[in-house]
Amino acid sequence: MDLTIPREQGPVAIRLVRQRDARVLQQELLSNRSWLRPWEATSPDGPVSFDMRLGIRRLLQQYRDGNGVPFVMEYDGEVAGQLNVWGIARGSLASATIGYWVSERFAGRNVTPTSVAMATDICFTELRLHRMEICIRPENQASLRVVEKLGFRYEGLRRRYIHINGDWRDHYAFALVREEVPEGVLRRWLDGRAPADAASRPPEDQRSV
């Protein structure tokens, strides 16, 4: 894949992860353990490697294979977190999923919604994907605010969907398809035209988690 990146909006930028990012990303993960642990994917088969260098090599191989796009999120030139586009499917599905984490010291600066918007726009315009999905634990209020700001549409509750922090957890699913945002996700949000209630969850789904 040959994508037009990095992309930036104000102090926020996204770019492809590099092997030399391993040290600073591992430092951020270690210093944010209490902040990130409740939302981190785990394995039911036991502990997984915390070797960031190996992790980046795997992510870049997935990128070369066309299965994912691993981004670093930056704020004023500092590494603020990661955003991964994964599970890219071509053909009749033409979809992918977005996952991310941001360091606590950058929370509240619109790093994540800006990065998600830019990454989604890249996927729609350059990768020509049709649908982008984000799955979020019901307890993760910070991530829910991201999809609410950007107008991702609520699609339903997925029971015990992903192994997170040591157990199978329910997730809310949100998505956008390309024709919903002909002007782009970032432009729609910045212009104040993202639908305010698109990410609203029905009471029955909120009661049942």
Side-chain angles (χ1 to χ4, degrees):
M1 290 184 284
D2 187 16
L3 304 178
T4 309
I5 42 181
R7 295 279 184 98
E8 60 184 47
Q9 173 62 42
V12 179
I14 58 172
R15 60 169 174 80
L16 280 177
V17 70
R18 300 183 290 243
Q19 197 64 56
R20 61 179 178 268
D21 293 321
R23 182 181 58 82
V24 65
L25 285 171
Q26 188 143 331
Q27 286 177 343
E28 290 295 327
L29 286 171
L30 289 172
S31 63
N32 281 267
R33 296 312 300 140
S34 60
W35 167 256
L36 296 173
R37 186 178 289 112
W39 323 115
E40 284 184 343
T42 48
S43 171
D45 299 321
V48 296
S49 170
F50 200 66
D51 184 340
M52 183 55 67
R53 289 174 297 179
L54 176 60
I56 289 175
R57 283 199 296 272
R58 288 173 174 167
L59 289 171
L60 290 173
Q61 185 60 55
Q62 290 172 8
Y63 175 66
R64 288 189 290 269
D65 293 341
N67 298 321
V69 186
F71 293 103
V72 164
M73 300 188 290
E74 295 182 333
Y75 187 86
D76 277 341
E78 286 191 79
V79 171
Q82 281 184 278
L83 184 155
N84 290 320
V85 175
W86 58 276
I88 293 178
R90 296 292 185 176
S92 57
L93 192 55
S95 71
T97 299
I98 288 178
Y100 47 78
W101 63 264
V102 67
S103 297
E104 186 174 13
R105 62 196 176 100
F106 294 103
R109 302 190 193 185
N110 278 331
V111 173
T112 306
T114 305
S115 299
V116 169
M118 291 190 291
T120 303
D121 286 343
I122 288 171
C123 290
F124 282 159
T125 59
E126 299 198 40
L127 295 182
R128 303 303 296 168
L129 297 179
H130 177 249
R131 179 179 179 276
M132 297 299 294
E133 178 176 277
I134 299 177
C135 294
I136 300 171
R137 285 188 61 182
E139 303 87 351
N140 193 341
Q141 293 300 317
S143 273
L144 290 173
R145 285 193 292 273
V146 171
V147 292
E148 288 165 357
K149 286 179 179 181
L150 298 180
F152 271 70
R153 179 175 25 78
Y154 179 65
E155 289 198 333
L157 174 65
R158 296 185 176 178
R159 293 286 187 190
R160 297 177 62 79
Y161 178 55
I162 303 176
H163 203 271
I164 301 285
N165 193 27
D167 202 359
W168 296 103
R169 312 289 183 175
D170 294 348
H171 281 68
Y172 291 141
F174 304 86
L176 280 176
V177 294
R178 190 168 62 208
E179 53 266 34
E180 290 178 277
V181 282
E183 72 275 53
V185 182
L186 181 64
R187 185 77 268 152
R188 185 179 73 163
W189 176 44
L190 294 178
D191 290 347
R193 289 184 284 107
D197 59 350
S200 298
R201 282 79 66 196
E204 59 269 23
D205 282 0
Q206 297 186 60
R207 285 194 301 266
S208 61
V209 296

